Amino acid sequence: PVQLRIAELAFQLIKASGYIAPDCSFQTGGGGPSLAVARFVRDYMKERGIQGSYCIGGITGYMADMLKEGLFRSLFDVQSFDAAVTSSLAGNPNHIEADVSWYANPFNKGCLVNDLDVVVLAALDVDVDFNVDVLTGHDGVLRGASGGHSDTAAGAKLSVITIPSMRNGVPSIKEKVQTIVTPGETIDVIVTEKGIAVNPRRGDLLAKARDAGLPVKDIRQLKAEIERTTGVPDEVEFTDQIVGLVEYRDGTFIDSIYKTK
């Protein structure tokens, strides 16, 4: 129920933005809220008779179905998320394999993410400056890789983060994330089940969200509301040993990951 609530709010925000229109491009991840957002988008496009241009990214069977139904003209497949994609890739000429450079290389003017209208992304933590951490968990331990997170956020006209307000009683909005993976300047909206925070850089989007009657809140207000339930957790303690570097899409290093005590 929490994830469906997040997905519905994210979809309502996307609908209010006006970006789901003929020839739009779209990407979503393979997690629960992301797939649920895709379901809402699919129903909306069917209802309105909208055909988009393309979907990109990690492709799921759900996206392959949307291609088959004519809701998008093409799928550009950088990574297949499930086995249901195989038959589509083998049998549909509009399901096209794409390499990583074509997908997201910032030094390639024609890379696909630069023409992306909407991307829906997940996160482990976010902070009041809209920075996003997708590498280290609440305990400070390295979880995995970031994929095209920062690439799509930078390229898309609308970048939406879907995240539960808390996990196991630990709040997901912090004063400062432990590890900056996707800079806040490239994030437009953070959606939780308790409300929506719009980046102050996007006054146009904030006005549309309010006109649509969505539960928009200042991100600090949302953080305080969550912490009234969870409390404020103790900071994780680290040693001086660096165990990883966070490389941004242009090759610069934007953060370091330290070993926990």
Side-chain angles (χ1 to χ4, degrees):
V2 169
Q3 294 195 18
L4 285 173
R5 169 67 173 165
I6 295 169
E8 184 175 7
L9 287 177
F11 165 70
Q12 292 297 336
L13 185 283
I14 294 167
K15 183 172 75 169
S17 74
Y19 287 121
I20 299 298
D23 297 324
C24 65
S25 51
F26 182 70
Q27 176 170 344
T28 186
S34 298
L35 287 176
V37 172
R39 189 197 75 183
F40 286 120
V41 168
R42 175 189 185 185
D43 292 344
Y44 179 72
M45 293 177 72
K46 278 186 172 183
E47 178 187 320
R48 298 297 180 94
I50 296 171
Q51 184 183 54
S53 175
Y54 64 85
C55 286
I56 59 172
I59 301 299
T60 63
Y62 207 87
M63 285 186 177
D65 288 342
M66 292 171 79
L67 173 68
K68 187 177 180 180
E69 293 167 350
L71 298 178
F72 287 94
R73 290 195 295 274
S74 301
L75 288 187
F76 293 103
D77 194 328
V78 185
Q79 177 185 13
S80 298
F81 276 169
D82 57 53
V85 174
T86 307
S87 59
S88 174
L89 187 58
N92 193 326
N94 293 319
H95 189 152
I96 302 159
E97 288 183 276
D99 64 25
V100 176
S101 179
W102 186 14
Y103 172 59
N105 185 349
F107 305 110
N108 175 355
K109 289 177 67 176
C111 73
L112 291 163
V113 299
N114 285 353
D115 197 37
L116 187 59
D117 287 309
V118 179
V119 64
V120 181
L121 299 164
L124 293 174
D125 294 302
V126 297
D127 68 23
V128 294
D129 295 315
F130 288 80
N131 297 309
V132 179
D133 180 3
V134 293
L135 285 178
T136 49
H138 292 310
D139 56 1
V141 176
L142 187 64
R143 288 287 188 270
S146 64
H149 203 282
S150 63
D151 302 291
T152 52
K157 296 182 180 69
L158 176 63
S159 57
V160 179
I161 299 295
T162 56
I163 186 170
S165 63
M166 65 189 81
R167 291 188 177 98
N168 297 321
V170 181
S172 296
I173 301 179
K174 297 183 174 183
E175 187 65 28
K176 183 179 179 182
V177 290
Q178 177 194 316
T179 308
I180 297 176
V181 177
T182 300
E185 64 192 38
T186 64
I187 299 299
D188 297 312
V189 188
I190 294 169
V191 180
T192 76
E193 80 280 6
K194 293 184 179 294
I196 298 171
V198 179
N199 194 319
R201 293 169 173 263
R202 293 299 307 269
D204 59 325
L205 195 59
L206 179 60
K208 289 178 179 179
R210 283 178 172 161
D211 289 345
L214 296 174
V216 179
K217 301 176 182 178
D218 178 84
I219 192 164
R220 288 190 177 275
Q221 174 192 355
L222 189 56
K223 175 177 179 288
E225 182 181 328
I226 295 166
E227 288 175 348
R228 281 196 291 271
T229 301
T230 64
V232 181
D234 294 334
E235 294 290 329
V236 178
E237 294 186 2
F238 298 94
T239 69
D240 293 331
Q241 181 182 347
I242 294 176
V243 297
L245 298 173
V246 182
E247 184 177 347
Y248 193 55
R249 61 193 306 255
D250 61 1
T252 57
F253 293 110
I254 62 172
D255 211 341
S256 301
I257 301 172
Y258 290 86
K259 183 179 180 180
T260 56
K261 283 188 177 180

